[in-house]
Amino acid sequence: MTAEAETTTGSGTTTTSGRRPGTGGVTARRWAPGTQVLWRYRDNAGGRVHICRPVTVVQDTDELLAVWMAPGTECVKPVLLDGSPVHAEPLATRYTAPRTTARARWTGAGVLKLARPGEPWSVWLFWEPGWLFRSWYVNLEEPRTRWAHGVDSEDHFLDISVYPDRSWLWRDEDEFEQAQRSGLMGPAQARRVREAGRAAAEVIRSWGSPFADGWEHWRPDPGWAVPALPADWDRAPARTAP
């Protein structure tokens, strides 16, 4: 860091006394490793939070936010009104059928999420049982907005799977097209998302960060507790620096 004093609050928040360029003079706040925060997504129609995942901070710097979602974490996810999964709805009406939210435990292995400030995607790492690394997943999304207890974003439907042999493929192109037909994404935004996807693909082709950084060998601190889902998981946040 550049001549900035750091102090860690009782909640695990590291506050830098300097001001980061481009934040409008807002004091940047960084979370200490082990801090529990919320990773949330707004819905694409009304802007209300419909996905919430409690996570534990692994690393939080000006260059990277890394968080761990542990197996068994209670999360919030969108479901159809009868409680069935969204993907049970035919594609043509998947984004127009009425929805609600439900609480559910994350099953299987945990997920490590990596995000760089201002970048329109995050990269998730998946393992099979026994820590057999499976793949990276590039989730195209709105650059995350930080608030006191987490980060918020909006999913952009289109994704990329990346494998240990460096092969990769697009995911959910059908949903990306249907979201446009359903009016959830206009032509200008769709072009920006495609451009972001192409930029992410260039990072993959050049094997840049985070793919070359060895995160597949990372392991969580065994002393970390599984974060609890708060009752006010959908609270309106007070905005802070990115």
Side-chain angles (χ1 to χ4, degrees):
M1 300 192 64
T2 58
E4 294 178 344
E6 288 190 351
T7 58
T8 302
T9 69
S11 62
T13 301
T14 300
T15 303
T16 62
S17 60
R19 293 181 176 180
R20 298 179 58 229
T23 63
V26 177
T27 301
R29 293 187 176 183
R30 294 287 169 247
W31 295 303
T35 304
Q36 296 177 355
V37 298
L38 301 177
W39 186 289
R40 309 192 306 181
Y41 290 95
R42 301 178 299 273
D43 68 46
N44 302 81
R48 299 181 63 181
V49 174
H50 71 153
I51 295 173
C52 180
R53 296 167 179 166
V55 295
T56 301
V57 174
V58 175
Q59 175 182 315
D60 186 22
T61 67
D62 285 355
E63 290 74 37
L64 182 71
L65 172 63
V67 302
W68 168 245
M69 185 170 65
T73 299
E74 186 180 22
C75 304
V76 173
K77 64 179 182 178
V79 294
L80 301 177
L81 285 183
D82 64 1
S84 58
V86 169
H87 281 81
E89 181 71 16
L91 183 61
T93 52
R94 188 167 298 167
Y95 299 118
T96 55
R99 297 185 183 189
T100 185
T101 57
R103 294 173 176 238
R105 296 280 177 182
W106 186 268
T107 59
V111 182
L112 179 66
K113 298 188 177 190
L114 310 174
R116 293 191 290 193
E119 205 161 52
W121 65 77
S122 57
V123 179
W124 307 355
L125 282 77
F126 290 90
W127 288 265
E128 301 289 355
W131 288 104
L132 177 64
F133 182 65
R134 187 175 79 199
S135 62
W136 295 267
Y137 189 83
V138 180
N139 195 72
L140 294 169
E141 60 191 40
E142 193 74 19
R144 291 137 308 279
T145 301
R146 294 174 67 104
W147 54 290
H149 300 290
V151 294
D152 287 357
S153 182
E154 181 179 287
D155 185 73
H156 285 164
F157 303 100
L158 191 62
D159 308 295
I160 306 173
S161 284
V162 186
Y163 299 98
D165 64 359
R166 302 193 183 186
S167 63
W168 60 276
L169 54 86
W170 295 103
R171 293 284 188 188
D172 303 325
E173 289 187 282
D174 58 342
E175 295 193 347
F176 179 63
E177 297 299 331
Q178 184 59 49
Q180 295 171 64
R181 289 191 291 269
S182 298
L184 298 183
M185 182 178 293
Q189 185 183 19
R191 285 194 297 271
R192 290 194 296 271
V193 173
R194 274 292 185 188
E195 289 169 1
R198 287 192 287 269
E202 284 303 311
V203 175
I204 297 166
R205 291 189 185 99
S206 64
W207 211 243
S209 295
F211 307 102
D213 296 340
W215 282 102
E216 64 271 27
H217 306 299
W218 174 87
R219 299 294 182 265
D221 186 328
W224 285 346
V226 176
L229 179 68
D232 59 347
W233 57 267
D234 59 348
R235 78 191 85 166
R239 303 299 184 189
T240 62

